[in-house]
Amino acid sequence: MSRSSESPAGLPEQLRQPATRTAVPVQNSAAEQVPTHVPGLDRFNAVPAAEAEAALLECCGSRRWAQRLAAHRPYPDLDALLAAADEAGYDLAPADLAEALTAEVSPGLHHAAPHSAHLALRAAHAAYESRFGHVFVICLDGLGPAEQPDQVLAGIRARLAHEPDQERVATAEEMRRLARGRIIELVSGS
């Protein structure tokens, strides 16, 4: 993902986020270790609350979630920030989750993928959105780019069988996982 030269909130370079995001952010492999204290965390802790909230909204589109995390700064280390993000994620009300989902874009394929793959993915996304009324989100930690399209299609197909309440729980969990990955990217500058 490319980064813009200036973030909307005017955050330091290490806190910049892309202008748009998809439901499949740049992921850290499960084996990759992220240090618990990173220099970007100090900058995140020091920026004004409005700037921290703007950066957090790029991680999860729920204003209540972003405000809650920004209000509890400073965080002593990355683990504390991630634990707070998880707790806030578990506490998302249905309206907060719906708000966060409106900020998401369905994961797509590389433009060089076969036309038939693009058609299959579009059809799967359309079926999912028709059934549940929001974009499909999935976290693909630990998967390489070549594995991601198959995982997205398999995920959509499996989750189309869910009842709405069951899918709401699965979606909330995927949003929590996506937010964690985005927070790590935010404060580590990776």
Side-chain angles (χ1 to χ4, degrees):
M1 298 175 110
S2 64
R3 297 189 181 274
S4 62
S5 62
E6 186 172 341
S7 72
L11 293 174
E13 170 117 9
Q14 291 77 5
L15 294 182
R16 291 185 185 156
Q17 290 291 310
T20 59
R21 64 175 193 262
T22 66
V24 186
V26 175
Q27 301 295 319
N28 295 310
S29 108
E32 185 179 340
Q33 294 293 324
V34 177
T36 60
H37 186 82
V38 291
L41 181 62
D42 292 335
R43 286 183 285 281
F44 172 76
N45 283 331
V47 297
E51 292 178 25
E53 286 176 26
L56 288 165
L57 280 169
E58 294 296 322
C59 298
C60 176
S62 165
R63 291 197 183 284
R64 190 170 76 97
W65 180 89
Q67 289 167 347
R68 180 173 170 180
L69 288 179
H72 286 97
R73 294 173 310 141
Y75 293 97
D77 56 35
L78 181 57
D79 287 339
L81 174 56
L82 294 174
D86 283 347
E87 183 180 334
Y90 290 128
D91 290 344
L92 287 178
D96 299 320
L97 181 58
E99 178 186 32
L101 286 167
T102 62
E104 297 295 324
V105 176
S106 297
L109 298 175
H110 187 273
H111 70 279
H115 181 67
S116 59
H118 285 280
L119 290 175
L121 187 59
R122 265 185 290 210
H125 280 299
Y128 180 90
E129 290 177 25
S130 175
R131 174 147 166 75
F132 297 111
H134 58 79
V135 299
F136 175 77
V137 293
I138 189 168
C139 184
L140 300 171
D141 281 341
L143 296 177
E147 300 169 286
Q148 291 178 3
D150 289 337
Q151 187 65 32
V152 170
L153 279 170
I156 291 172
R157 289 179 181 138
R159 287 169 52 190
L160 275 169
H162 287 175
E163 291 300 319
D165 287 341
Q166 183 183 18
E167 182 55 22
R168 199 171 4 267
V169 170
T171 298
E173 177 61 16
E174 292 300 317
M175 287 297 299
R176 187 190 63 76
R177 292 177 63 210
L178 287 167
R180 285 179 65 88
R182 291 169 179 161
I183 288 170
I184 292 167
E185 184 178 336
L186 173 75
V187 298
S188 66
S190 59

